[in-house]
Amino acid sequence: MANPQERGHHREIESIEAFDEIAAGGSLVGYRVQSVDLSHRTFALLSCDCADAVFLGCRMNADADAKVRGDGALVFPPVPGLPFDPYRGRLYSPEELFTGLADRGYDATPDAGTYQWFQSTKADGDIYASMLRSIHDDAISDTLDELLVGARVVGVMGGHAMARGTDAYAGAARLGRALARDGFTVATGGGPGAMEAANLGAYAAPQPDEMLDDALQLLAKAPSFVPSVSEWALAAFEVRRRWPQGGDSVGIPTWFYGHEPPNAFAGHIAKYFANATREDGLLSRSSAGVIFLPGAAGTVQEIFDNATPNYYESRGEPTPMVLVNRAHWTELLPTWPLLQSLASGRSMQTRIALVDSVEEAPEALARLAA
């Protein structure tokens, strides 16, 4: 049996290359092999000791399956008929979620198909469907944690209604670019509007400044994902085609809000079924702080979801919170006065700030962090 202390991310096998490297040593004891096609690795499986191994959604032929089970391995076979892989060992890419977009439109993509499956199963009370969603979301969280080890993550929150072609959208994109150039990993809710703009800015970070201006003009031709998600997404992929050497960022969207498609500028997409898991995961991983752009109910919820652990210090030292647009957060949705009252006399008091414009946000973030 493998030592339980050795079990962790370094005991996971998530690619055929990693499998080949480890199997060459003759032992898979205690490893977790996650969604790897092993149908052409029968000899390796017959040759390795597979005691205490776990195979999650791995294709293998019948001889290999019988042998590894005989060694004492647990085998969870692939689930047929699903539009997603519940055992996946990697995050999504824009290309994967939008496969088929150019030829058949958004409704034919894996993203749309998974949402339709979710719609048909979320209220039927079927424990099997519920289990599959939970396994999927846990696998996504595991992979997201692996990606962000050591990263300085800044969350950028804001509403999905922010349209391309507006000054607000351009400002959010410049903010994402500034943060990425400062060495931060930009993380957003992964959807349209302010979220897309911040991911776009991070994508533009390695490029000359004029690239972002040109991209904003191109995107403005499809200002919103309503009425056509296809046209909206195709405009984003046109930007990626013209400037393929983009910077990385993270998007964390959800199928819970099926009317919000993911945006194509986040290089790594951690998409969830459970919105509560997604929200908490996004905020808890924003280790270097969160910037809140103008938004509505969802953004207000995120402010206080983030304020609560800062208030109680349940995640350790409070992290910076920067609210952008004084009029929005003091008059239209007077969130700032309540946040100030909560913070008064506590250590989080020195970790909150209200600024007028996105241009002030990076400096405010740095000041709070110091």
Side-chain angles (χ1 to χ4, degrees):
M1 297 288 285
N3 185 337
Q5 297 299 323
E6 295 178 353
R7 295 178 186 169
H9 292 318
H10 65 292
R11 304 295 291 177
E12 295 173 4
I13 298 175
E14 298 166 343
S15 68
I16 194 65
E17 294 80 12
F19 176 85
D20 288 342
E21 179 181 352
I22 294 166
S27 175
L28 292 167
V29 172
Y31 277 93
R32 282 73 175 103
V33 190
Q34 198 170 343
S35 193
V36 179
D37 187 350
L38 301 176
S39 54
H40 298 291
R41 295 298 188 273
T42 301
F43 179 79
L45 291 168
L46 294 177
S47 303
C48 282
D49 183 357
C50 297
D52 198 35
V54 179
F55 294 87
L56 299 166
C58 298
R59 289 180 173 83
M60 62 181 82
N61 73 17
D63 289 343
D65 183 281
K67 188 269 181 185
V68 301
R69 290 177 190 266
D71 283 353
L74 288 176
V75 178
F76 294 80
V79 182
L82 286 180
F84 65 95
D85 178 3
Y87 301 116
R88 60 183 300 118
R90 66 192 187 283
L91 299 182
Y92 293 98
S93 68
E95 293 81 3
E96 180 181 2
L97 288 176
F98 285 102
T99 298
L101 173 71
D103 299 326
R104 294 173 290 161
Y106 174 72
D107 288 344
T109 64
D111 185 67
T114 302
Y115 172 64
Q116 291 303 321
W117 177 88
F118 180 42
Q119 285 293 99
S120 68
T121 62
K122 68 179 182 180
D124 63 8
D126 182 0
I127 186 62
Y128 180 57
S130 176
M131 179 190 71
L132 292 173
R133 294 194 297 268
S134 297
I135 292 172
H136 170 275
D137 285 2
D138 192 64
I140 290 293
S141 291
D142 180 71
T143 308
L144 183 59
D145 285 337
E146 293 174 13
L147 173 73
L148 297 179
V149 170
R152 296 191 301 154
V153 182
V154 173
V156 179
M157 313 297 164
H160 69 261
M162 184 183 288
R164 296 166 173 175
T166 64
D167 290 341
Y169 185 96
R174 290 192 296 269
L175 171 63
R177 183 177 65 181
L179 292 170
R181 287 178 174 177
D182 285 343
F184 293 108
T185 296
V186 174
T188 78
M195 297 171 279
E196 180 190 55
N199 287 129
L200 167 64
Y203 186 84
Q207 298 281 348
D209 286 356
E210 56 268 22
M211 173 267 172
L212 181 57
D213 296 332
D214 293 342
L216 290 169
Q217 288 186 4
L218 192 156
L219 292 170
K221 297 175 182 178
S224 174
F225 62 98
V226 178
S228 173
V229 174
S230 297
E231 291 182 11
W232 173 84
L234 285 169
F237 279 103
E238 175 62 17
V239 170
R240 292 176 60 96
R241 186 192 67 79
R242 293 194 189 185
W243 296 279
Q245 304 302 318
D248 254 345
S249 64
V250 177
I252 307 182
T254 176
W255 282 292
F256 184 81
Y257 297 124
H259 64 287
E260 287 188 15
N263 77 72
F265 294 112
H268 307 281
I269 301 177
K271 192 155 191 179
Y272 287 88
F273 290 106
N275 186 53
T277 305
R278 168 250 192 170
E279 291 276 9
D280 183 71
L282 172 56
L283 293 167
S284 66
R285 290 175 176 87
S286 297
S287 55
V290 184
I291 296 173
F292 298 91
L293 302 176
T299 311
V300 171
Q301 176 182 337
E302 289 163 346
I303 289 173
F304 291 105
D305 280 347
N306 197 51
T308 300
N310 280 349
Y311 180 89
Y312 290 111
E313 300 188 45
S314 56
R315 295 179 186 146
E317 186 178 347
T319 52
M321 299 176 64
V322 180
L323 277 62
V324 177
N325 191 315
R326 190 175 303 272
H328 186 88
W329 296 120
T330 61
E331 298 173 18
L332 183 62
L333 295 174
T335 304
W336 174 250
L338 179 53
L339 184 62
Q340 275 189 307
S341 297
L342 279 173
S344 180
R346 306 186 75 88
S347 57
M348 69 177 285
Q349 186 171 9
T350 59
R351 295 298 179 94
I352 63 171
L354 175 66
V355 298
D356 290 310
S357 67
V358 290
E359 287 75 17
E360 300 171 79
E363 186 279 329
L365 185 74
R367 173 167 45 83
L368 296 180

